Amino acid sequence: MLKLKLHWQILIALVIAVIYGVTLPEYVQYVKWMGDIFIRGLKMVIVPLILTSIISGVTNIGSGGNLGRLGVKTMFYYLTTSLFAIVMGLFFVNILQPGAGADLGFTKEVEGLSAARDSFGDTLLKIVPSNIFTAFTEGQMLSIIFFAIIFGYFITRVNKKASANLTEFFNSAFEVMMRITMFVIKFTPLGILGLVANTVAEQSDLLNVAQRLGLYMLAVLLALAFHSTITLPFLLKFVGNVNPKNHFRALTTPLLTAFSTSSSNATLPLTMDAVEHNAGVSNKVTSFTLPLGATINMDGTALYECVAAMFIAQAYGVELGFLQQVIVVMTALLASIGAAGIPMAGLVMISIILTAVGLPLEGLGLILAVDRILDMCRTTVNVWSDSCGAVIIAKTEGEKLKV
Ligand code: ASP
């Protein structure tokens, strides 16, 4: 049987959805349910995916005495580059304003939204959950992340046997959650068919929507381009004393693989091989930084999360003030840390930001159609940043490299 790659399936679904929505708007209920089930599926995986991803990430950093100087340097690199990336995204989305004035017919659905939004102080306060089960059932993402970090940390502080059992358990549970997520993601073409046909049928001005989505993609792509061709090469050159061009050449295969698979995890073996053998980084630094980076250092995803959330807010006609934007930046950082290195994990994670600033999760339907192509690009940037981190850290550890 002819097996098309997911992005081709999505493209075909998109075309069919637009034609269906335009020509048969009165029969849209026959496909709309597919979109509804798909969104429900995504919502279903969010909480267990974040929980297991963060707990297994934290236990793996904390165990084996890894939290030495190398750990601190690595974490510092991951957090600062992700923050740089997010700020770039914020800059472009504020300049281009892709969602502003888009008449997407959504404003009516979010009445009473502002009342639901907490002040900055309240948001911080509520990060500590008073009841962890309420946090789970209500999908309070920040509280869930907070609890997961603490839980993961203390797993590394209990006796050896308990610690090993729990680490094993959460690593395995994370594997299962990634499989389930991939399974749900397989249905993206059908989800898109339902969601996009419905959105198209409701639109009076399709051109406007297409234009707005185009601008949104442009904002993400410009920010990604800036981060990968200016910010990271600058750090390579001036912090790591590495030639960015040589490093890029050393990494061509994993970067192309990241682009075509949209998965940092799937690319990891190739990234490790290229960083160790082409760039000449020691096995010690490679095997510590890269597996960690593939799950928690996602500059491209972080930036994309921020732009997407801002775009959805703009499309819903919700004005986000300075403090709200600070929340978006901080939650985008957390969301990228919690995102698994698998296709479209970033899309699932946007829900963290949306709930933090009080936007409806249905906003995801808006950006779903163009997510796959952006995923290919952001995954490439994720892998590029991981590899830059590995060589910079190796250099600061006094290693002699080939790049
Ligand atoms: N696909 C990305 C990765 O594997 C994660 C994301 O969806 O942003 O790095």
Side-chain angles (χ1 to χ4, degrees), residues 333-357:
L333 182 66
L334 288 175
S336 71
I337 293 175
I342 54 175
M344 293 171 98
L347 180 84
V348 182
M349 290 295 166
I350 296 175
S351 55
I352 297 181
I353 313 178
L354 297 183
T355 39
V357 291

Side-chain angles (χ1 to χ4, degrees), residues 233-399:
F234 181 88
L235 292 178
L236 276 178
K237 201 160 174 55
F238 295 105
V239 182
N241 202 6
V242 166
N243 181 329
K245 269 197 201 126
N246 290 348
H247 181 56
F248 177 74
R249 254 182 244 127
L251 262 290
T252 343
T253 312
L255 292 179
L256 284 173
T257 315
F259 185 77
S260 45
T261 58
S262 297
S263 166
S264 314
N265 277 6
T267 314
L268 183 62
L270 295 171
T271 319
M272 292 182 77
D273 179 67
V275 166
E276 196 171 332
H277 298 115
N278 302 353
V281 175
S282 69
N283 180 272
K284 177 176 162 232
V285 172
T286 310
S287 57
F288 174 64
T289 57
L290 291 178
L292 198 59
T295 35
I296 67 173
N297 179 48
M298 299 202 177
D299 295 4
T301 301
L303 166 171
Y304 153 85
E305 304 273 337
C306 170
V307 177
M310 293 294 295
F311 172 69
I312 292 173
Q314 290 169 358
Y316 274 103
V318 175
E319 191 66 53
L320 294 181
F322 178 73
L323 281 183
Q324 297 282 346
Q325 297 204 13
V326 172
I327 296 182
V328 170
V329 170
M330 296 322 289
T331 43
L333 182 66
L334 288 175
S336 71
I337 293 175
I342 54 175
M344 293 171 98
L347 180 84
V348 182
M349 290 295 166
I350 296 175
S351 55
I352 297 181
I353 313 178
L354 297 183
T355 39
V357 291
L359 286 163
L361 291 191
E362 279 60 32
L364 286 180
L366 198 60
I367 52 172
L368 192 65
V370 292
D371 188 70
R372 184 63 185 196
I373 174 80
L374 294 181
D375 194 8
M376 297 165 83
C377 303
R378 67 182 184 252
T379 308
T380 314
V381 176
N382 290 345
V383 171
W384 175 233
S385 169
D386 291 342
S387 74
C388 293
V391 293
I392 291 176
I393 288 160
K395 266 288 172 94
T396 60
E397 290 283 300
E399 292 187 9

Side-chain angles (χ1 to χ4, degrees), residues 149-158:
I149 293 176
I150 301 243
F151 197 85
Y153 175 76
F154 282 101
I155 285 182
T156 65
R157 290 287 167 274
V158 292

Side-chain angles (χ1 to χ4, degrees), residues 65-355:
N66 277 333
L67 270 182
R69 193 185 57 213
L70 202 59
V72 173
K73 265 191 212 170
T74 311
M75 288 311 290
F76 183 73
Y77 171 87
Y78 290 168
L79 295 179
T80 36
T81 51
S82 296
L83 269 178
F84 278 148
I86 299 174
V87 171
M88 243 22 262
L90 194 63
F91 172 77
F92 280 107
V93 78
N94 273 315
I95 296 277
L96 292 176
Q97 295 275 335
D103 183 13
L104 301 174
F106 282 131
T107 341
K108 56 182 186 298
E109 292 169 28
V110 276
E111 279 161 12
L113 182 71
S114 44
R117 272 195 276 160
D118 288 327
S119 72
F120 187 61
D122 274 352
T123 309
L124 286 184
L125 196 76
K126 285 188 183 161
I127 289 181
V128 181
S130 57
N131 180 339
I132 186 65
F133 294 101
T134 317
F136 287 146
T137 50
E138 291 181 0
Q140 296 161 3
M141 303 299 176
L142 295 182
S143 311
I144 298 175
I145 293 175
F146 175 81
F147 181 75
I149 293 176
I150 301 243
F151 197 85
Y153 175 76
F154 282 101
I155 285 182
T156 65
R157 290 287 167 274
V158 292
N159 71 59
K160 253 205 179 122
K161 182 160 174 269
S163 172
N165 283 345
L166 285 170
T167 307
E168 181 74 24
F169 173 79
F170 280 102
N171 282 344
S172 317
F174 179 44
E175 291 274 323
V176 175
M177 281 321 301
M178 285 206 287
R179 282 292 174 97
I180 299 181
T181 310
M182 300 269 240
F183 175 72
V184 175
I185 295 294
K186 276 212 182 103
F187 293 94
T188 312
L190 294 177
I192 286 194
L193 183 62
L195 289 162
V196 175
N198 187 44
T199 313
V200 168
E202 281 177 355
Q203 293 310 315
S204 44
D205 191 357
L206 257 193
L207 208 64
N208 182 22
V209 179
Q211 252 172 13
R212 293 290 148 189
L213 276 179
L215 263 186
Y216 155 69
M217 291 174 76
L218 187 70
V220 176
L221 294 177
L222 282 177
L224 285 177
F226 189 96
H227 188 69
S228 52
T229 61
I230 298 186
T231 313
L232 292 176
F234 181 88
L235 292 178
L236 276 178
K237 201 160 174 55
F238 295 105
V239 182
N241 202 6
V242 166
N243 181 329
K245 269 197 201 126
N246 290 348
H247 181 56
F248 177 74
R249 254 182 244 127
L251 262 290
T252 343
T253 312
L255 292 179
L256 284 173
T257 315
F259 185 77
S260 45
T261 58
S262 297
S263 166
S264 314
N265 277 6
T267 314
L268 183 62
L270 295 171
T271 319
M272 292 182 77
D273 179 67
V275 166
E276 196 171 332
H277 298 115
N278 302 353
V281 175
S282 69
N283 180 272
K284 177 176 162 232
V285 172
T286 310
S287 57
F288 174 64
T289 57
L290 291 178
L292 198 59
T295 35
I296 67 173
N297 179 48
M298 299 202 177
D299 295 4
T301 301
L303 166 171
Y304 153 85
E305 304 273 337
C306 170
V307 177
M310 293 294 295
F311 172 69
I312 292 173
Q314 290 169 358
Y316 274 103
V318 175
E319 191 66 53
L320 294 181
F322 178 73
L323 281 183
Q324 297 282 346
Q325 297 204 13
V326 172
I327 296 182
V328 170
V329 170
M330 296 322 289
T331 43
L333 182 66
L334 288 175
S336 71
I337 293 175
I342 54 175
M344 293 171 98
L347 180 84
V348 182
M349 290 295 166
I350 296 175
S351 55
I352 297 181
I353 313 178
L354 297 183
T355 39

Side-chain angles (χ1 to χ4, degrees), residues 52-67:
T52 52
S53 152
I54 294 186
I55 294 181
S56 91
V58 173
T59 46
N60 293 336
I61 307 171
S63 57
N66 277 333
L67 270 182

